[in-house]
Coordinates of all heavy atoms in Angstrom, one line a residue:
M627 N 2.8 34.6 -11.7 CA 1.9 34.1 -10.7 C 1.1 32.9 -11.1 O 0.7 32.1 -10.3 CB 0.9 35.2 -10.2 CG 1.5 36.2 -9.2 SD 2.0 35.4 -7.7 CE 1.4 36.5 -6.6
A628 N 0.8 32.8 -12.4 CA -0.1 31.7 -12.9 C 0.6 30.4 -12.7 O 0.0 29.4 -12.5 CB -0.4 31.9 -14.4
G629 N 1.9 30.4 -12.8 CA 2.7 29.1 -12.6 C 2.6 28.6 -11.2 O 2.6 27.4 -10.9
D630 N 2.4 29.5 -10.2 CA 2.2 29.0 -8.8 C 0.9 28.3 -8.6 O 0.8 27.4 -7.8 CB 2.3 30.2 -7.8 CG 3.7 30.8 -7.8 OD1 4.6 30.1 -8.1 OD2 3.8 32.0 -7.5
D631 N -0.2 28.7 -9.3 CA -1.5 28.1 -9.1 C -1.4 26.7 -9.6 O -2.2 25.8 -9.2 CB -2.5 28.9 -9.9 CG -2.8 30.2 -9.2 OD1 -2.5 30.4 -8.0 OD2 -3.3 31.2 -9.9
D632 N -0.6 26.3 -10.6 CA -0.5 25.0 -11.2 C 0.1 24.0 -10.2 O -0.1 22.8 -10.3 CB 0.3 25.0 -12.5 CG -0.4 25.8 -13.6 OD1 -1.6 25.9 -13.5 OD2 0.3 26.3 -14.5
S633 N 0.8 24.5 -9.2 CA 1.5 23.6 -8.3 C 0.5 23.1 -7.2 O 0.9 22.1 -6.5 CB 2.7 24.2 -7.7 OG 2.3 25.3 -6.8
Y634 N -0.6 23.6 -7.0 CA -1.6 23.2 -6.0 C -2.3 22.0 -6.5 O -2.6 21.9 -7.7 CB -2.5 24.3 -5.6 CG -1.9 25.3 -4.7 CD1 -1.1 26.3 -5.1 CD2 -2.1 25.2 -3.3 CE1 -0.5 27.2 -4.3 CE2 -1.5 26.1 -2.4 CZ -0.7 27.1 -2.9 OH -0.1 27.9 -2.1
V635 N -2.7 21.1 -5.6 CA -3.4 19.9 -5.9 C -4.7 19.9 -5.2 O -4.8 20.2 -4.0 CB -2.6 18.6 -5.5 CG1 -3.3 17.4 -5.8 CG2 -1.2 18.7 -6.2
Y636 N -5.8 19.5 -5.9 CA -7.1 19.5 -5.2 C -7.3 18.2 -4.5 O -7.1 17.1 -5.0 CB -8.3 19.6 -6.3 CG -9.6 19.6 -5.7 CD1 -10.1 20.7 -5.0 CD2 -10.5 18.5 -5.8 CE1 -11.3 20.8 -4.4 CE2 -11.7 18.5 -5.3 CZ -12.2 19.7 -4.6 OH -13.4 19.7 -4.0
D637 N -7.6 18.2 -3.2 CA -7.8 17.0 -2.4 C -9.3 16.8 -2.2 O -10.0 17.6 -1.6 CB -7.1 17.3 -1.0 CG -7.2 16.0 -0.1 OD1 -7.4 14.9 -0.6 OD2 -7.1 16.2 1.1
E638 N -9.7 15.7 -2.9 CA -11.2 15.4 -2.9 C -11.7 15.1 -1.5 O -12.9 15.3 -1.2 CB -11.5 14.3 -3.8 CG -11.2 14.7 -5.3 CD -11.5 13.5 -6.2 OE1 -12.2 12.6 -5.8 OE2 -11.1 13.7 -7.4
A639 N -10.9 14.5 -0.6 CA -11.3 14.1 0.7 C -11.7 15.3 1.6 O -12.7 15.3 2.3 CB -10.2 13.3 1.4
T640 N -10.9 16.4 1.5 CA -11.1 17.6 2.3 C -11.8 18.7 1.5 O -12.4 19.6 2.1 CB -9.8 18.1 2.9 OG1 -9.0 18.5 1.8 CG2 -9.1 17.1 3.7
G641 N -11.8 18.6 0.2 CA -12.4 19.6 -0.7 C -11.5 20.9 -0.7 O -12.1 22.0 -1.0
E642 N -10.2 20.8 -0.5 CA -9.4 22.0 -0.4 C -8.3 21.9 -1.5 O -7.9 20.8 -1.9 CB -8.8 22.1 1.0 CG -9.7 22.4 2.1 CD -9.1 22.4 3.4 OE1 -7.8 22.4 3.5 OE2 -9.8 22.5 4.4
W643 N -7.7 23.0 -1.9 CA -6.5 23.1 -2.7 C -5.3 23.1 -1.8 O -5.2 24.0 -0.9 CB -6.6 24.3 -3.6 CG -7.6 24.1 -4.7 CD1 -8.9 24.6 -4.7 CD2 -7.4 23.5 -6.0 NE1 -9.5 24.2 -5.8 CE2 -8.6 23.6 -6.7 CE3 -6.3 22.9 -6.6 CZ2 -8.7 23.1 -7.9 CZ3 -6.5 22.4 -7.9 CH2 -7.7 22.5 -8.5
L644 N -4.4 22.1 -1.9 CA -3.3 22.0 -1.1 C -2.0 22.1 -1.9 O -1.9 21.6 -3.0 CB -3.3 20.7 -0.3 CG -4.6 20.5 0.6 CD1 -4.5 19.1 1.1 CD2 -4.6 21.5 1.7
P645 N -0.9 22.6 -1.2 CA 0.4 22.5 -1.9 C 0.8 21.0 -2.1 O 0.3 20.1 -1.3 CB 1.4 23.2 -0.9 CG 0.5 24.0 0.0 CD -0.8 23.3 0.0
P646 N 1.6 20.7 -3.1 CA 1.9 19.3 -3.4 C 2.5 18.5 -2.2 O 2.1 17.3 -2.1 CB 2.9 19.4 -4.5 CG 2.7 20.7 -5.1 CD 2.2 21.6 -4.1
G647 N 3.2 19.1 -1.4 CA 3.8 18.4 -0.2 C 2.7 18.0 0.8 O 2.8 16.9 1.4
Q648 N 1.7 18.8 1.0 CA 0.6 18.4 1.9 C -0.4 17.5 1.3 O -1.1 16.8 2.0 CB 0.0 19.7 2.4 CG 0.9 20.6 3.3 CD 0.2 21.8 3.7 OE1 -1.0 22.1 3.4 NE2 0.8 22.6 4.6
A649 N -0.6 17.5 0.0 CA -1.7 16.7 -0.6 C -1.4 15.2 -0.4 O -2.3 14.5 -0.2 CB -1.7 17.0 -2.1
G650 N -0.2 14.8 -0.5 CA 0.1 13.4 -0.3 C -0.2 12.9 1.1 O -0.7 11.8 1.3
A651 N 0.1 13.7 2.1 CA -0.1 13.4 3.5 C -1.6 13.3 3.8 O -2.1 12.4 4.5 CB 0.6 14.3 4.4
A652 N -2.4 14.2 3.2 CA -3.8 14.2 3.5 C -4.5 13.1 2.7 O -5.5 12.6 3.1 CB -4.4 15.6 3.1
A653 N -4.0 12.7 1.6 CA -4.7 11.7 0.7 C -4.5 10.3 1.3 O -5.2 9.4 1.0 CB -4.1 11.8 -0.7
A654 N -3.5 10.1 2.2 CA -3.2 8.8 2.8 C -3.6 8.9 4.2 O -2.7 9.1 5.1 CB -1.8 8.4 2.6
P655 N -4.9 8.6 4.6 CA -5.3 8.8 6.0 C -4.8 7.7 6.9 O -5.1 7.7 8.1 CB -6.8 8.8 5.8 CG -7.1 8.0 4.6 CD -5.9 8.3 3.7
G656 N -4.2 6.7 6.4 CA -3.7 5.6 7.3 C -4.3 4.3 6.7 O -4.9 4.2 5.7
P657 N -4.0 3.2 7.4 CA -4.4 1.9 6.9 C -5.9 1.7 6.9 O -6.6 2.2 7.9 CB -3.7 0.8 7.8 CG -3.4 1.6 9.0 CD -3.2 3.0 8.6
A658 N -6.5 1.1 5.9 CA -7.9 0.9 5.8 C -8.3 -0.2 6.8 O -7.5 -1.1 7.0 CB -8.3 0.6 4.4
E659 N -9.5 -0.1 7.3 CA -10.0 -1.1 8.2 C -10.3 -2.3 7.4 O -10.9 -2.2 6.3 CB -11.2 -0.6 8.9 CG -10.9 0.4 10.0 CD -12.2 0.7 10.8 OE1 -13.3 0.5 10.3 OE2 -12.0 1.1 12.0
V660 N -9.9 -3.5 7.9 CA -10.2 -4.8 7.2 C -11.4 -5.3 8.0 O -11.4 -5.5 9.2 CB -9.0 -5.7 7.3 CG1 -9.4 -7.1 6.7 CG2 -7.8 -5.1 6.6
R661 N -12.5 -5.6 7.2 CA -13.7 -6.1 7.8 C -14.1 -7.5 7.2 O -13.8 -7.8 6.1 CB -14.9 -5.2 7.5 CG -14.6 -3.8 8.2 CD -15.8 -2.9 8.1 NE -15.6 -1.7 8.8 CZ -16.0 -1.5 10.1 NH1 -16.6 -2.5 10.7 NH2 -15.8 -0.3 10.7
D662 N -14.7 -8.4 8.1 CA -15.1 -9.7 7.6 C -16.5 -9.6 6.9 O -17.0 -8.5 6.7 CB -15.2 -10.6 8.8 CG -16.2 -10.3 9.8 OD1 -17.0 -9.3 9.6 OD2 -16.3 -11.1 10.8
S663 N -17.1 -10.7 6.6 CA -18.4 -10.7 5.9 C -19.5 -10.1 6.7 O -20.5 -9.6 6.1 CB -18.7 -12.2 5.5 OG -18.9 -13.0 6.7
A664 N -19.4 -10.1 8.0 CA -20.5 -9.5 8.8 C -20.2 -8.1 9.2 O -21.0 -7.5 9.9 CB -20.6 -10.4 10.1
G665 N -19.1 -7.5 8.8 CA -18.8 -6.1 9.1 C -17.9 -5.9 10.3 O -17.7 -4.8 10.7
N666 N -17.5 -7.0 10.9 CA -16.6 -6.9 12.1 C -15.2 -6.5 11.7 O -14.7 -7.1 10.7 CB -16.5 -8.2 12.9 CG -17.9 -8.6 13.4 OD1 -18.7 -7.8 13.9 ND2 -18.3 -9.9 13.2
V667 N -14.5 -5.7 12.5 CA -13.1 -5.3 12.1 C -12.2 -6.4 12.5 O -12.3 -7.0 13.6 CB -12.8 -4.0 12.9 CG1 -11.3 -3.6 12.6 CG2 -13.7 -2.8 12.5
L668 N -11.3 -6.8 11.6 CA -10.3 -7.8 11.8 C -9.0 -7.2 12.1 O -8.6 -6.1 11.7 CB -10.1 -8.7 10.6 CG -11.4 -9.5 10.2 CD1 -11.1 -10.2 8.8 CD2 -11.7 -10.5 11.2
A669 N -8.1 -7.9 12.9 CA -6.8 -7.4 13.3 C -5.9 -8.6 13.2 O -6.3 -9.8 13.2 CB -6.8 -6.8 14.7
D670 N -4.6 -8.3 13.1 CA -3.6 -9.4 13.1 C -3.8 -10.3 14.4 O -4.0 -9.8 15.5 CB -2.2 -8.8 13.2 CG -1.7 -8.3 11.8 OD1 -2.3 -8.7 10.8 OD2 -0.8 -7.5 11.8
G671 N -3.7 -11.6 14.2 CA -3.8 -12.5 15.3 C -5.2 -13.0 15.6 O -5.4 -13.9 16.4
D672 N -6.2 -12.4 14.9 CA -7.6 -12.9 15.2 C -7.8 -14.3 14.6 O -7.1 -14.7 13.7 CB -8.6 -11.9 14.5 CG -8.8 -10.6 15.2 OD1 -8.3 -10.5 16.4 OD2 -9.4 -9.7 14.6
S673 N -8.9 -14.9 15.1 CA -9.3 -16.2 14.6 C -10.6 -16.0 13.8 O -11.4 -15.2 14.2 CB -9.6 -17.2 15.7 OG -8.4 -17.5 16.4
V674 N -10.7 -16.7 12.7 CA -11.9 -16.5 11.8 C -12.4 -17.9 11.5 O -11.8 -18.9 11.6 CB -11.6 -15.7 10.5 CG1 -11.2 -14.3 10.8 CG2 -10.5 -16.4 9.7
T675 N -13.7 -17.9 11.1 CA -14.4 -19.1 10.7 C -14.9 -19.0 9.3 O -15.4 -17.9 8.9 CB -15.6 -19.3 11.6 OG1 -15.2 -19.4 13.0 CG2 -16.3 -20.6 11.3
L676 N -14.7 -20.0 8.4 CA -15.2 -20.0 7.1 C -16.7 -20.0 7.1 O -17.3 -20.8 7.8 CB -14.7 -21.1 6.3 CG -13.1 -21.2 6.1 CD1 -12.7 -22.4 5.3 CD2 -12.6 -19.9 5.4
I677 N -17.4 -19.2 6.2 CA -18.8 -19.2 6.1 C -19.3 -20.0 4.9 O -20.5 -20.2 4.8 CB -19.3 -17.8 6.0 CG1 -18.8 -17.1 4.7 CG2 -19.0 -16.9 7.2 CD1 -19.5 -15.8 4.4
K678 N -18.4 -20.6 4.1 CA -18.9 -21.5 3.1 C -17.7 -22.4 2.7 O -16.6 -22.2 3.1 CB -19.4 -20.8 1.8 CG -18.3 -19.9 1.1 CD -18.9 -19.2 -0.1 CE -18.8 -20.1 -1.3 NZ -19.2 -19.5 -2.5
D679 N -18.0 -23.5 2.0 CA -17.0 -24.5 1.6 C -16.2 -23.7 0.5 O -16.7 -23.1 -0.4 CB -17.6 -25.7 1.0 CG -18.3 -26.6 2.0 OD1 -18.1 -26.3 3.2 OD2 -18.9 -27.6 1.6
L680 N -14.8 -23.9 0.6 CA -14.0 -23.2 -0.4 C -13.0 -24.3 -1.0 O -12.3 -25.0 -0.3 CB -13.1 -22.1 0.2 CG -13.9 -21.0 0.8 CD1 -12.9 -20.0 1.5 CD2 -14.6 -20.2 -0.3
K681 N -13.0 -24.4 -2.3 CA -12.0 -25.2 -3.0 C -10.7 -24.5 -3.1 O -10.7 -23.3 -3.5 CB -12.5 -25.6 -4.4 CG -13.7 -26.5 -4.4 CD -14.1 -26.9 -5.8 CE -15.3 -27.7 -5.8 NZ -15.8 -28.1 -7.1
V682 N -9.6 -25.1 -2.6 CA -8.3 -24.5 -2.6 C -7.6 -24.8 -3.9 O -7.3 -26.0 -4.1 CB -7.5 -24.9 -1.4 CG1 -6.1 -24.2 -1.4 CG2 -8.3 -24.6 -0.1
K683 N -7.3 -23.8 -4.7 CA -6.6 -24.0 -6.0 C -5.1 -24.5 -5.7 O -4.5 -24.0 -4.8 CB -6.5 -22.8 -6.8 CG -7.9 -22.3 -7.3 CD -7.7 -21.0 -8.1 CE -9.1 -20.6 -8.5 NZ -9.0 -19.3 -9.3
G684 N -4.7 -25.5 -6.4 CA -3.3 -26.0 -6.3 C -3.1 -27.0 -5.2 O -2.1 -27.6 -5.0
A685 N -4.1 -27.2 -4.3 CA -4.0 -28.1 -3.2 C -4.9 -29.3 -3.3 O -4.8 -30.2 -2.5 CB -4.2 -27.4 -1.9
N686 N -5.8 -29.3 -4.3 CA -6.8 -30.4 -4.5 C -7.5 -30.7 -3.2 O -7.6 -31.9 -2.8 CB -6.1 -31.6 -5.1 CG -5.6 -31.4 -6.5 OD1 -6.2 -30.6 -7.2 ND2 -4.6 -32.2 -6.9
Q687 N -7.9 -29.7 -2.5 CA -8.5 -29.8 -1.2 C -9.6 -28.8 -1.0 O -9.6 -27.8 -1.6 CB -7.5 -29.6 -0.1 CG -7.9 -29.9 1.3 CD -6.8 -29.7 2.3 OE1 -5.7 -29.4 2.0 NE2 -7.2 -29.9 3.6
T688 N -10.6 -29.2 -0.2 CA -11.7 -28.3 0.0 C -11.8 -28.0 1.6 O -11.7 -28.9 2.4 CB -13.1 -28.9 -0.4 OG1 -13.1 -29.1 -1.8 CG2 -14.2 -27.9 -0.1
L689 N -11.8 -26.7 1.9 CA -11.9 -26.3 3.3 C -13.4 -26.2 3.5 O -14.1 -25.5 2.8 CB -11.2 -24.9 3.5 CG -9.7 -24.9 3.4 CD1 -9.2 -23.5 3.6 CD2 -9.1 -25.8 4.5
K690 N -13.9 -26.9 4.5 CA -15.3 -26.9 4.8 C -15.8 -25.7 5.6 O -15.1 -25.1 6.4 CB -15.6 -28.2 5.7 CG -15.3 -29.5 4.9 CD -16.2 -29.7 3.8 CE -15.9 -31.1 3.2 NZ -16.6 -31.3 1.9
Q691 N -17.1 -25.4 5.4 CA -17.7 -24.4 6.2 C -17.6 -24.6 7.7 O -17.7 -25.8 8.1 CB -19.2 -24.3 5.8 CG -20.0 -23.3 6.6 CD -21.5 -23.2 6.2 OE1 -21.9 -23.9 5.2 NE2 -22.2 -22.5 6.9
G692 N -17.3 -23.6 8.5 CA -17.1 -23.8 9.9 C -15.6 -24.1 10.3 O -15.3 -24.1 11.5
T693 N -14.7 -24.3 9.3 CA -13.3 -24.5 9.7 C -12.8 -23.2 10.3 O -13.0 -22.1 9.9 CB -12.5 -24.8 8.4 OG1 -13.0 -25.9 7.8 CG2 -11.0 -24.9 8.7
V694 N -12.1 -23.4 11.4 CA -11.5 -22.3 12.1 C -10.0 -22.0 11.7 O -9.3 -23.0 11.6 CB -11.5 -22.5 13.7 CG1 -10.8 -21.4 14.4 CG2 -12.9 -22.7 14.2
I695 N -9.8 -20.8 11.3 CA -8.4 -20.4 10.9 C -7.9 -19.5 12.0 O -8.5 -18.5 12.3 CB -8.4 -19.7 9.6 CG1 -9.1 -20.5 8.5 CG2 -7.0 -19.2 9.2 CD1 -8.4 -21.7 8.1
R696 N -6.8 -19.8 12.6 CA -6.2 -19.0 13.7 C -5.1 -18.2 13.3 O -4.4 -18.5 12.3 CB -5.8 -20.0 14.8 CG -6.9 -20.7 15.5 CD -6.4 -21.6 16.6 NE -7.5 -22.3 17.2 CZ -8.0 -23.4 16.8 NH1 -7.6 -24.0 15.7 NH2 -9.0 -24.0 17.4
S697 N -4.8 -17.1 14.0 CA -3.7 -16.2 13.8 C -3.5 -15.7 12.4 O -2.6 -16.0 11.7 CB -2.4 -17.0 14.2 OG -2.4 -17.3 15.5
I698 N -4.6 -15.0 11.9 CA -4.5 -14.4 10.6 C -3.6 -13.2 10.6 O -3.2 -12.6 11.7 CB -5.9 -13.9 10.2 CG1 -6.4 -12.7 11.0 CG2 -6.9 -15.1 10.1 CD1 -7.6 -12.0 10.5
R699 N -3.1 -12.8 9.4 CA -2.3 -11.6 9.2 C -2.9 -10.8 8.2 O -3.3 -11.3 7.1 CB -0.9 -12.0 8.8 CG -0.1 -12.5 10.0 CD 1.3 -13.0 9.6 NE 1.0 -14.2 8.8 CZ 1.9 -14.9 8.1 NH1 3.1 -14.4 7.9 NH2 1.6 -16.0 7.4
L700 N -3.0 -9.5 8.4 CA -3.6 -8.6 7.4 C -2.6 -8.3 6.3 O -1.3 -8.3 6.5 CB -4.0 -7.3 8.1 CG -4.9 -7.4 9.2 CD1 -5.3 -6.0 9.8 CD2 -6.2 -8.2 8.8
T701 N -3.0 -8.1 5.1 CA -2.2 -7.7 3.9 C -2.4 -6.3 3.5 O -3.2 -5.6 4.2 CB -2.5 -8.7 2.8 OG1 -3.8 -8.4 2.3 CG2 -2.4 -10.1 3.1
D702 N -1.7 -5.9 2.5 CA -1.9 -4.5 2.0 C -3.3 -4.4 1.4 O -3.8 -3.3 1.3 CB -0.8 -4.2 0.9 CG 0.6 -4.1 1.5 OD1 0.7 -3.8 2.7 OD2 1.5 -4.4 0.8
D703 N -3.9 -5.5 0.9 CA -5.2 -5.5 0.3 C -6.2 -5.7 1.4 O -6.2 -6.7 2.1 CB -5.3 -6.6 -0.7 CG -6.6 -6.5 -1.5 OD1 -7.5 -5.8 -1.2 OD2 -6.7 -7.3 -2.5
P704 N -7.2 -4.7 1.6 CA -8.2 -4.9 2.7 C -9.2 -6.0 2.4 O -10.0 -6.3 3.3 CB -8.8 -3.5 2.7 CG -8.6 -2.9 1.5 CD -7.3 -3.4 0.9
E705 N -9.1 -6.6 1.2 CA -10.1 -7.7 0.9 C -9.4 -9.1 1.0 O -10.1 -10.1 0.8 CB -10.6 -7.5 -0.5 CG -11.5 -6.3 -0.6 CD -12.0 -6.1 -2.0 OE1 -11.8 -6.9 -2.9 OE2 -12.8 -5.1 -2.2
E706 N -8.2 -9.1 1.5 CA -7.4 -10.4 1.6 C -6.7 -10.5 2.9 O -6.2 -9.5 3.4 CB -6.4 -10.6 0.4 CG -7.1 -10.7 -0.9 CD -6.1 -10.9 -2.0 OE1 -4.9 -10.7 -1.8 OE2 -6.5 -11.2 -3.1
I707 N -6.6 -11.7 3.4 CA -5.9 -12.0 4.7 C -5.0 -13.2 4.5 O -5.3 -14.1 3.7 CB -6.8 -12.2 5.9 CG1 -7.8 -13.3 5.6 CG2 -7.5 -10.9 6.3 CD1 -8.7 -13.7 6.8
D708 N -3.8 -13.2 5.1 CA -2.9 -14.3 5.1 C -3.3 -15.3 6.2 O -3.6 -14.8 7.3 CB -1.4 -13.9 5.3 CG -0.8 -13.4 4.0 OD1 -1.2 -13.8 2.9 OD2 0.2 -12.6 4.2
C709 N -3.3 -16.6 5.9 CA -3.7 -17.5 6.9 C -2.8 -18.7 6.9 O -2.0 -18.9 6.0 CB -5.1 -18.1 6.6 SG -6.3 -16.8 6.3
R710 N -2.8 -19.4 8.1 CA -2.0 -20.6 8.2 C -3.0 -21.7 8.5 O -3.8 -21.6 9.4 CB -1.0 -20.5 9.3 CG 0.1 -19.5 8.9 CD 1.1 -19.4 10.0 NE 1.8 -20.7 10.2 CZ 2.5 -21.0 11.2 NH1 2.6 -20.2 12.2 NH2 3.1 -22.2 11.3
H711 N -2.9 -22.8 7.8 CA -3.7 -24.0 8.0 C -2.8 -25.2 8.1 O -1.7 -25.2 7.5 CB -4.7 -24.2 6.9 CG -5.8 -25.2 7.2 ND1 -5.7 -26.5 6.7 CD2 -6.9 -25.1 7.9 CE1 -6.7 -27.2 7.2 NE2 -7.5 -26.4 7.8
D712 N -3.2 -26.2 8.9 CA -2.3 -27.4 9.1 C -1.8 -28.0 7.8 O -0.7 -28.4 7.7 CB -3.0 -28.4 10.0 CG -3.3 -27.9 11.3 OD1 -2.7 -27.0 11.8 OD2 -4.3 -28.4 12.0
T713 N -2.7 -28.1 6.8 CA -2.4 -28.8 5.6 C -2.0 -27.9 4.4 O -1.6 -28.4 3.4 CB -3.5 -29.8 5.2 OG1 -4.7 -29.0 5.0 CG2 -3.8 -30.8 6.3
I714 N -2.2 -26.6 4.5 CA -2.0 -25.7 3.4 C -1.1 -24.6 3.9 O -1.5 -23.8 4.7 CB -3.4 -25.2 2.9 CG1 -4.3 -26.3 2.5 CG2 -3.1 -24.2 1.7 CD1 -5.7 -25.8 2.2
K715 N 0.0 -24.5 3.2 CA 1.0 -23.4 3.5 C 0.7 -22.2 2.5 O 0.3 -22.4 1.4 CB 2.4 -23.9 3.3 CG 2.8 -25.1 4.1 CD 2.7 -24.8 5.6 CE 3.2 -26.0 6.3 NZ 2.7 -26.0 7.7
G716 N 0.8 -21.0 3.0 CA 0.7 -19.8 2.2 C -0.7 -19.6 1.8 O -1.0 -19.2 0.6
L717 N -1.7 -19.8 2.6 CA -3.1 -19.7 2.3 C -3.5 -18.2 2.4 O -3.2 -17.5 3.4 CB -3.9 -20.5 3.2 CG -5.5 -20.5 3.0 CD1 -5.8 -21.1 1.7 CD2 -6.1 -21.3 4.2
V718 N -4.2 -17.7 1.3 CA -4.7 -16.3 1.3 C -6.2 -16.5 1.1 O -6.6 -17.1 0.1 CB -4.1 -15.5 0.2 CG1 -4.7 -14.1 0.2 CG2 -2.6 -15.4 0.4
L719 N -7.0 -15.9 2.0 CA -8.4 -15.9 1.9 C -9.0 -14.5 1.7 O -8.5 -13.6 2.2 CB -9.0 -16.5 3.2 CG -8.8 -18.0 3.5 CD1 -9.3 -18.4 4.8 CD2 -9.3 -18.9 2.4
R720 N -10.1 -14.5 1.0 CA -10.8 -13.2 0.8 C -11.7 -13.0 2.1 O -12.3 -13.9 2.6 CB -11.6 -13.2 -0.4 CG -10.7 -13.3 -1.7 CD -11.3 -13.0 -3.0 NE -12.2 -11.8 -3.0 CZ -11.7 -10.6 -3.3 NH1 -10.4 -10.4 -3.6 NH2 -12.5 -9.6 -3.4
T721 N -11.8 -11.8 2.5 CA -12.5 -11.5 3.7 C -14.0 -11.7 3.6 O -14.7 -11.9 4.6 CB -12.3 -10.0 4.2 OG1 -12.6 -9.1 3.1 CG2 -10.8 -9.8 4.6
E722 N -14.5 -11.8 2.4 CA -16.0 -12.0 2.2 C -16.4 -13.4 2.5 O -17.6 -13.7 2.7 CB -16.3 -11.7 0.7 CG -15.7 -12.6 -0.3 CD -15.9 -12.1 -1.7 OE1 -17.0 -12.4 -2.3 OE2 -15.0 -11.5 -2.3
F723 N -15.4 -14.3 2.7 CA -15.7 -15.7 3.0 C -15.4 -16.1 4.5 O -15.5 -17.3 4.8 CB -14.9 -16.6 2.1 CG -15.3 -16.5 0.6 CD1 -14.3 -16.1 -0.2 CD2 -16.6 -16.6 0.2 CE1 -14.5 -15.9 -1.6 CE2 -16.8 -16.3 -1.1 CZ -15.9 -16.1 -2.0
V724 N -15.1 -15.1 5.3 CA -14.8 -15.4 6.7 C -15.6 -14.6 7.7 O -16.1 -13.5 7.3 CB -13.3 -15.2 7.0 CG1 -12.4 -16.1 6.2 CG2 -12.8 -13.8 6.8
R725 N -15.7 -15.1 8.9 CA -16.4 -14.3 10.0 C -15.5 -14.4 11.2 O -15.0 -15.5 11.5 CB -17.8 -15.0 10.2 CG -18.6 -14.2 11.3 CD -19.9 -14.9 11.5 NE -19.7 -16.1 12.2 CZ -20.1 -17.3 11.8 NH1 -20.8 -17.4 10.7 NH2 -19.9 -18.4 12.5
K726 N -15.4 -13.3 11.9 CA -14.6 -13.3 13.1 C -15.2 -14.1 14.2 O -16.4 -14.2 14.4 CB -14.5 -11.8 13.6 CG -13.5 -11.6 14.7 CD -13.4 -10.2 15.0 CE -12.4 -9.9 16.2 NZ -12.2 -8.5 16.5
R727 N -14.4 -14.9 14.9 CA -14.8 -15.7 16.0 C -15.0 -14.9 17.3 O -14.2 -14.1 17.6 CB -13.8 -16.8 16.3 CG -14.0 -18.0 15.4 CD -13.3 -19.2 15.8 NE -14.2 -19.8 16.8 CZ -13.8 -20.8 17.5 NH1 -12.6 -21.3 17.4 NH2 -14.6 -21.4 18.4

């Protein structure tokens, strides 16, 4: 019987001991909400505005405060978003530097 107790996993989110098959499902509650610098929830296709000047590495260019970025895409990381800009391809911005329009 002692071997059966070792197979249970403690789920910190619910505070319960669960069988290994159920622990993985309970531990992954779904995608995390992505929020901008003001705490607004972001979604794919939203437009955002830069809240400060940002130097873009590898492009020798600075994106100015107030620049509008349209049609963002969320990534696996809740702190980063994929963006498209006219002059910069493959732009990734941190959510702490943007505000939802």
Side-chain angles (χ1 to χ4, degrees):
M627 277 301 219
D630 291 336
D631 292 336
D632 293 336
S633 66
Y634 281 82
V635 177
Y636 182 72
D637 184 18
E638 293 180 15
T640 62
E642 298 178 6
W643 287 93
L644 302 172
Q648 292 180 356
E659 288 186 335
V660 178
R661 296 186 176 267
D662 67 0
S663 61
N666 299 316
V667 177
L668 296 173
D670 283 339
D672 283 348
S673 294
V674 295
T675 304
L676 296 180
I677 62 169
K678 67 179 274 185
D679 291 352
L680 297 174
K681 292 181 182 178
V682 181
K683 294 180 181 178
N686 293 334
Q687 186 177 0
T688 300
L689 293 174
K690 300 291 185 186
Q691 178 180 352
T693 301
V694 176
I695 306 292
R696 293 180 180 83
S697 299
I698 66 167
R699 284 176 289 169
L700 304 181
T701 63
D702 293 334
D703 187 350
E705 295 180 0
E706 294 180 347
I707 55 174
D708 279 333
C709 308
R710 292 180 63 198
H711 190 265
D712 296 337
T713 58
I714 304 169
K715 304 294 182 203
L717 180 64
V718 176
L719 293 175
R720 296 196 44 90
T721 56
E722 64 189 279
F723 300 123
V724 298
R725 184 181 71 237
K726 186 174 180 178
R727 277 194 83 188

